[in-house]
Amino acid sequence: MQKANTEQAQLVKEISNVDTRKCMKCGKCSASCPSYEEMDIRPHQFVSYVQNNKVNELMESTSLWKCLSCFACVERCPRDVKPARLIEAVRLMVIRQKGQNYLLPDEVPELLDEEVPQQLLASAFRKYSK
Amino acid sequence: MIYSYYPGCTLKNKAKVLDKYARISAQALGFELEEIEEWQCCGAVYPQATDEIATKLASVRVLNSAKGKGQDLVTVCSACHHVIKRVNDDMRQNEDIRTRANNYLQLEEPYTGETQVFHYLELLRDKVGFDTLKEKVKNPLTGRKIGAYYGCMLLRPSSVIQFDDAENPTIIEDFIRALGAEAIIYPYRNECCGGYISLKEKELAGTMVDKIMDSATYKGAEEIITACPLCLYNLKKSGEANKLKVHYFTEILAEALGLKDE
């Protein structure tokens, strides 16, 4: 399991192009995150998990579906760590697996109302499905 | 001046007024928007992963089309602007992405990020000028208290988007003042509305919208303007807070220029 986790951590770093060693654990990313209270693993912890090769836990985290890609954490990080890119990389590792899509086309009709903009559907499919 | 124009998917359907008033206002202000032929959806979210190329190609095609005409590219939707501008930056800065995208597209000449991308608001500020805009106003919006809602995609990451100061932007407030209204500045104007999460988790988006609406109301706004169809949808549909009127910025532009249908 540990070896798999190490390999996965390397994959996260490759997909994200983030150097987790730059993080100085100031917590500004989590303090800026509008989804903070909904996340089981917060942005600053996310960085630490990758650094410590604990990627299996991240792949099971609900935080993958709470990140808004609003880039507040990216903008406000004093060390340019880009936590959003790490979350994106792990999220992709999940949905790229067969059967792991978070949104299925069959679910969509009951989620619609007359005013739902096309932009919402396009972005949700990009984020929740491969 | 003629600009290549990328409206994006939503402006052809649920956000037709955003598109319509952008076009007729442009004519009145002395520039022309020439819609790119056969454009494709930008995908609405920027593909952040280093190994995603296919999801960037629609943007590269649009950028290359503008380059072919020797025109700058104009967007109106915040999401389209965000995606296309960031992909353009990738094509300029990232050799790996540039090579793989060009290998895929097999263009007559490789695209390397030559096109300049402007948001419509940037044209108003940098090309038309807010002083000139003010002179063209026929129906000043005197007495209206309007809050700008920037959201996230117009501003961040500022190193790439380079739209305005990401933490203390002023462009939309200056736009509001040019139209004769009072610009209401409130703390949550550059925080996220919940974005795409409102499809599956409306409650979470609602907590964010409530903070934005409460913040704007507390500071005295009576209406809010935005450039983003998803922001407009979320501000109208999510949350429980006292709802202010929400419009696209092009609606009040056309109104002030005397071009808006009643």
Coordinates of all heavy atoms in Angstrom, one line a residue, chain B residues 5 10 24 45 48 57 62 74 79 82 88 91 94 113 128 148 153 158 161 167 169 173 188 215-216 224 240 245:
Chain B
Y5 N -14.8 38.0 -32.2 CA -15.7 37.9 -31.0 C -16.0 36.4 -30.7 O -16.4 35.7 -31.6 CB -17.0 38.7 -31.3 CG -18.1 38.6 -30.2 CD1 -17.8 38.9 -28.9 CD2 -19.4 38.3 -30.6 CE1 -18.8 38.8 -27.9 CE2 -20.4 38.3 -29.6 CZ -20.1 38.5 -28.3 OH -21.1 38.5 -27.4
T10 N -23.4 29.9 -23.7 CA -24.6 30.4 -22.9 C -25.1 31.6 -23.5 O -26.3 31.9 -23.4 CB -24.2 30.6 -21.4 OG1 -23.4 29.4 -21.0 CG2 -25.4 30.8 -20.5
I24 N -25.0 45.6 -29.6 CA -25.5 46.9 -30.0 C -24.8 48.0 -29.3 O -24.7 49.1 -29.9 CB -27.0 46.9 -29.8 CG1 -27.4 46.8 -28.4 CG2 -27.7 45.9 -30.7 CD1 -29.0 47.0 -28.2
V45 N -14.6 25.5 -17.8 CA -13.6 25.5 -16.7 C -12.2 25.2 -17.3 O -12.1 24.4 -18.2 CB -13.9 24.4 -15.6 CG1 -15.1 24.8 -14.8 CG2 -14.1 23.0 -16.2
Q48 N -6.7 22.4 -15.6 CA -5.4 22.7 -14.9 C -4.3 21.6 -15.0 O -3.2 21.9 -14.8 CB -5.7 22.8 -13.4 CG -6.7 23.9 -13.0 CD -6.9 24.0 -11.5 OE1 -6.0 24.5 -10.8 NE2 -8.0 23.5 -11.1
L57 N -8.1 22.4 -26.8 CA -8.0 22.7 -28.2 C -9.0 23.6 -28.8 O -8.8 24.4 -29.7 CB -8.0 21.3 -29.0 CG -6.9 20.4 -28.7 CD1 -7.1 19.1 -29.5 CD2 -5.5 21.0 -29.0
V62 N -10.0 28.9 -31.5 CA -10.5 30.2 -31.5 C -9.4 31.3 -31.6 O -9.5 32.2 -32.4 CB -11.4 30.4 -30.2 CG1 -11.7 31.9 -30.0 CG2 -12.6 29.6 -30.3
V74 N -12.2 39.2 -28.5 CA -13.0 39.8 -27.4 C -13.9 38.7 -26.8 O -14.6 38.0 -27.6 CB -13.8 41.0 -27.8 CG1 -14.7 41.5 -26.7 CG2 -12.8 42.1 -28.2
A79 N -16.4 33.1 -17.7 CA -15.8 31.7 -17.8 C -15.0 31.6 -19.2 O -13.9 31.1 -19.2 CB -16.8 30.7 -17.7
H82 N -11.8 33.5 -18.9 CA -10.9 32.8 -18.0 C -10.2 31.7 -18.8 O -9.0 31.5 -18.8 CB -11.6 32.3 -16.8 CG -10.8 31.6 -15.8 ND1 -10.3 32.3 -14.7 CD2 -10.3 30.3 -15.7 CE1 -9.6 31.4 -14.0 NE2 -9.6 30.2 -14.6
N88 N -4.3 30.6 -23.7 CA -3.4 31.4 -24.5 C -2.0 31.6 -23.8 O -1.0 31.5 -24.4 CB -4.0 32.8 -24.8 CG -3.4 33.4 -26.0 OD1 -3.0 32.8 -27.0 ND2 -3.4 34.8 -26.0
M91 N -0.1 28.5 -24.2 CA 0.5 28.4 -25.5 C 1.8 29.3 -25.7 O 2.7 29.0 -26.5 CB -0.5 28.7 -26.6 CG -1.6 27.7 -26.7 SD -1.2 26.0 -27.0 CE -0.8 26.2 -28.8
N94 N 4.3 27.6 -22.1 CA 4.6 26.2 -21.8 C 4.9 25.4 -23.1 O 4.0 25.1 -23.9 CB 3.3 25.6 -21.2 CG 3.6 24.2 -20.6 OD1 4.2 23.3 -21.3 ND2 3.2 23.9 -19.4
G113 N 0.5 31.6 -29.3 CA 0.0 32.6 -28.3 C 0.0 34.0 -28.8 O 0.1 35.0 -28.0
V128 N -12.0 52.2 -25.4 CA -13.0 53.3 -25.5 C -12.7 54.4 -24.5 O -12.6 55.6 -24.8 CB -14.4 52.8 -25.2 CG1 -15.5 53.9 -25.2 CG2 -14.8 51.7 -26.3
A148 N -21.0 46.0 -7.9 CA -20.3 45.1 -8.9 C -20.1 43.7 -8.3 O -19.6 43.7 -7.2 CB -19.0 45.7 -9.3
M153 N -13.7 34.3 -11.6 CA -13.0 34.0 -12.8 C -12.4 35.2 -13.6 O -11.5 35.1 -14.3 CB -13.9 33.2 -13.8 CG -14.0 31.7 -13.3 SD -15.0 30.7 -14.4 CE -16.6 31.3 -14.1
S158 N -4.4 36.3 -10.9 CA -4.1 37.6 -11.4 C -2.8 37.6 -12.3 O -2.7 38.4 -13.2 CB -4.0 38.6 -10.3 OG -3.1 38.3 -9.4
I161 N -4.5 36.3 -15.6 CA -5.7 37.1 -16.1 C -5.4 38.6 -16.3 O -5.8 39.2 -17.2 CB -6.9 36.8 -15.2 CG1 -7.2 35.3 -15.0 CG2 -8.1 37.6 -15.6 CD1 -7.6 34.7 -16.3
E167 N -7.6 41.7 -5.4 CA -8.2 41.8 -4.1 C -9.0 43.1 -4.0 O -9.8 43.2 -3.1 CB -7.1 41.7 -3.0 CG -6.3 40.4 -3.0 CD -7.2 39.2 -2.7 OE1 -8.3 39.4 -2.3 OE2 -6.7 38.1 -3.0
P169 N -10.4 45.2 -6.8 CA -10.7 45.6 -8.2 C -11.5 46.9 -8.2 O -12.3 47.2 -7.3 CB -11.4 44.5 -8.8 CG -12.1 43.8 -7.6 CD -11.2 44.0 -6.5
E173 N -16.7 49.1 -10.9 CA -17.2 50.3 -10.2 C -17.0 51.6 -11.0 O -17.8 52.5 -11.1 CB -16.4 50.5 -8.8 CG -16.9 49.6 -7.7 CD -16.3 48.2 -7.7 OE1 -15.4 48.0 -8.6 OE2 -16.7 47.4 -6.9
Y188 N -17.7 41.1 -0.2 CA -17.7 39.8 -0.8 C -17.8 39.9 -2.4 O -18.1 38.9 -3.0 CB -18.9 39.0 -0.3 CG -18.5 38.3 1.0 CD1 -18.5 39.0 2.2 CD2 -18.2 37.0 1.1 CE1 -18.2 38.4 3.4 CE2 -17.9 36.3 2.3 CZ -17.9 37.1 3.4 OH -17.5 36.4 4.6
S215 N -23.8 40.9 2.3 CA -22.7 41.9 2.2 C -23.1 43.1 1.4 O -22.9 44.2 1.8 CB -21.4 41.2 1.7 OG -20.4 42.1 1.5
A216 N -23.6 42.8 0.2 CA -24.0 43.9 -0.7 C -25.2 44.7 -0.1 O -25.2 45.9 -0.2 CB -24.4 43.3 -2.1
I224 N -27.3 44.4 -8.4 CA -26.0 43.9 -8.7 C -25.8 43.6 -10.1 O -26.8 43.2 -10.8 CB -25.8 42.6 -7.8 CG1 -25.7 42.9 -6.4 CG2 -24.6 41.8 -8.3 CD1 -25.5 41.7 -5.5
E240 N -30.9 32.0 0.7 CA -32.2 32.5 1.3 C -32.2 34.0 1.5 O -33.2 34.6 1.8 CB -32.4 31.8 2.6 CG -32.4 30.3 2.6 CD -33.6 29.8 1.8 OE1 -34.7 30.5 1.8 OE2 -33.5 28.7 1.2
K245 N -31.9 42.7 -7.2 CA -32.0 42.5 -8.6 C -30.6 42.3 -9.2 O -29.7 42.9 -8.7 CB -32.6 43.8 -9.3 CG -34.1 44.0 -9.0 CD -34.6 45.3 -9.6 CE -34.3 46.5 -8.7 NZ -34.8 47.7 -9.1

